Amino acid sequence: MQTNHFRSGSKPHGSSSGASRFGGPRHASSHRPSTGRSFGGGGYKGGGHRSSRPAPSRGRRNNSMGSYIDPSRFINKVTVTEEVAVFVPEHQFTDFQIDERLKKAIVTKGYKNPSPIQDKTIPHILKGADLVGIANTGTGKTAAFLIPLIQKVLKDPKENILVIVPTRELAIQIDAELKTFVRGMSIFSVCCVGGMSIGRQISALKYRNNFVIGTPGRLKDLIDRKMINPVNFKSLVLDEADRMLDMGFVNEMRSIMSMMPKDRHTLFFSATLSTEIERLIGEFLKAPVRISVKTSETSKNVEQDVVKVIPGKNKLDMLHDLLNQKDFSRVLIFGRTKHGVEKLSQTLLAKGFKAESIHGNKNHSKRQSALRLFKEGNVQILVATDVAARGLDIADVSHVINYELPATYEDYVHRIGRTGRGSKKGKALTFLD
Ligand code: AMP
C-alpha cells in the first residue's frame, strides 16, 4: 500500500483522477462510477429503498428560473473497484524555500504531502510569478496561495496582501486557515465582508494588517471611505473568480484591480474558464503560469443518486425517512429560496430533528452560529441556499440532499462538493418530483 501520496493521473501538471483528492494515505485501489450514469438501476425511494431509474422527461426544465439538467447527471454510483495511479508529489513541504516556522506550522496542521495544486503552484508563487490556478474547492488551493504569501510577509513584514473572494463565509474560512498558519509570527489579518459591522472593520484597519481578506462590495466600500488604499497592496489573490463573476461583482473587481500597482503579483483561482474569465486574466495578469488540477466535474468520492418522489407519497415524509437512517449523521440539505429553506428547517425542527438553516435572510452572526452548531455536530441537519453554502469547508458531511433541484449543473457540482472532501467518501441524493 502506498502511503502519504496523492493519486495522480498520467497527465502533466499533476492532473489527477477525482479519486486523487488529498487527505493523506490512500489505498491502492479506488472506485469508479458504474454505468449507472445511463440510468442503470438508479434511484432511492423514501426510506432508502432502491427504486427503478428515473424516467427521463426530455425537455423538462427544473423550474421557471433554472435550466434543464438530465436526471442521469445526478447518478454516479460507486460500485466497481479499479486500480488507479497514485499521485506522487514532485516536492515535499520540506523542499520548499520557506521559513522553518512555516514548515513547522504545516506539520502542526497535519499536512504530510502537498496536494497536486500545492505541489505545482507553490514553487512558481515563491518565485513571484503571476498564476492562474484552475481548481475546485477541496483541492487545497487555500494553502497553495497562503503558504508562499506568508513566506513573502515573513521576508518583508511590510508586505500587504489583498485576497478577494465571493462570499463572507469563504473569507472567514481563509482567514481562519491563515490564523492557524501564522500563530506566533506577528502576522495580522482582517476580514472585510458585508453583513458584519463596518465600524469594527474600520477600527481593525487602523492597525497593521498584512492580509486583508474580503468580498468585493465591502472592499470597494472601504476603499471609497479611504480606509483601504489599494496602492499599498503589491500582492493580490482572486479566489473563486468565476463565482465572483456569476455573482455580478465584475465591476468591483475591475475597479479594485485598476487602483492597484501595475507591478503587483497576482494569483487568480477559478474552478472554470470562460471567455469572460479569460478576458479578466488577459487584463490583469502578466504572462501567468497556468496550472490545472481539475479533471472531473464531480468528485468520485461522492456517490450520487436520485430519490424519485413516488406519486401519492409526501416528499417531506420521504425526506423524514431518509434522515432517520443511521448513517445520515451530518446532512446538508439544499433548497432554492431563502423562504423555502427557512420553512423546511422549521418543519424539520417541528418533526423533532436537530436542524439549522443558512440563507441570505439571516444576519451574519446567526449564519455563523448555525454553521458552528453544524460543524461541531450539535445539529444533524443544515438547510441551505446555494449562495449561503458556497465554498464551505465542513468536515465529514455524510450526505448532501438536493431537496429542490439546483438551477444549473454547475450549482449541482458546487452543492455536492460539500461532501466527500479530502479522501472521505460522501453521498449526494437528489429529489426528482
Ligand atoms: P481548500 O481546497 O483550500 O478548501 O482545502 C480543503 C481542505 O483540505 C481544508 O480542510 C484544508 O485544511 C485541507 N488541506 C489543504 N492542504 C492539505 C494537505 N496538503 N494535506 C492535507 N489536507 C490539506
Side-chain angles (χ1 to χ4, degrees), residues 42-57:
Y44 262 70
K45 270 184 185 168
H49 303 294
R50 301 274 157 181
S51 80
S52 57
R53 66 179 173 80
S57 45

Side-chain angles (χ1 to χ4, degrees), residues 204-242:
L205 284 166
K206 289 179 182 150
Y207 295 90
R208 180 165 67 82
N209 286 288
N210 304 98
F211 285 82
V212 173
I213 305 164
T215 44
R218 179 54 63 92
L219 286 171
K220 185 68 185 22
D221 192 352
L222 288 161
I223 291 168
D224 293 344
R225 292 172 190 233
K226 311 259 180 272
M227 293 314 304
I228 295 175
N229 186 354
V231 171
N232 296 334
F233 293 82
K234 286 247 174 89
S235 303
L236 169 69
V237 179
L238 294 160
D239 194 14
E240 302 203 354
D242 50 349

Side-chain angles (χ1 to χ4, degrees), residues 287-407:
V289 173
R290 284 176 183 251
I291 303 289
S292 174
V293 299
K294 197 182 136 85
T295 51
S296 70
E297 286 168 313
T298 61
S299 163
K300 290 182 178 60
N301 290 352
V302 184
E303 181 183 334
Q304 302 163 59
D305 207 347
V306 294
V307 181
K308 204 170 169 229
V309 179
I310 305 153
K313 205 160 176 200
N314 186 310
K315 186 174 170 182
L316 198 60
D317 291 340
M318 293 176 71
L319 178 66
H320 182 277
D321 291 348
L322 284 173
L323 294 171
N324 266 334
Q325 290 179 40
K326 209 168 82 236
D327 57 330
F328 284 64
S329 55
R330 188 169 292 174
V331 187
L332 186 55
I333 303 180
F334 281 96
R336 287 287 289 270
T337 64
K338 302 168 197 175
H339 180 68
V341 160
E342 185 54 34
K343 197 167 153 213
L344 181 58
S345 94
Q346 293 300 331
T347 309
L348 291 173
L349 269 177
K351 280 178 171 282
F353 290 104
K354 285 188 174 171
E356 271 291 348
S357 64
I358 50 167
H359 51 74
N361 281 350
K362 273 199 167 175
N363 69 25
H364 176 73
S365 69
K366 284 202 173 132
R367 284 161 69 157
Q368 283 301 303
S369 135
L371 209 52
R372 197 169 44 248
L373 287 167
F374 186 59
K375 277 186 172 177
E376 290 171 0
N378 295 317
V379 297
Q380 176 200 2
I381 299 156
L382 184 67
V383 193
T385 54
D386 290 278
V387 172
R390 202 144 275 162
L392 289 183
D393 181 25
I394 303 165
D396 301 324
V397 171
S398 63
H399 292 78
V400 166
I401 296 183
N402 297 307
Y403 191 66
E404 288 174 307
L405 288 179

Side-chain angles (χ1 to χ4, degrees), residues 22-23 93 111 113-115 118 137-142 177 393 421:
F22 53 88
F93 281 119
Y111 297 178
N113 284 299
S115 70
Q118 293 161 2
T137 52
T139 51
K141 66 184 163 61
T142 312
E177 181 140 3
D393 181 25
R421 301 193 52 89

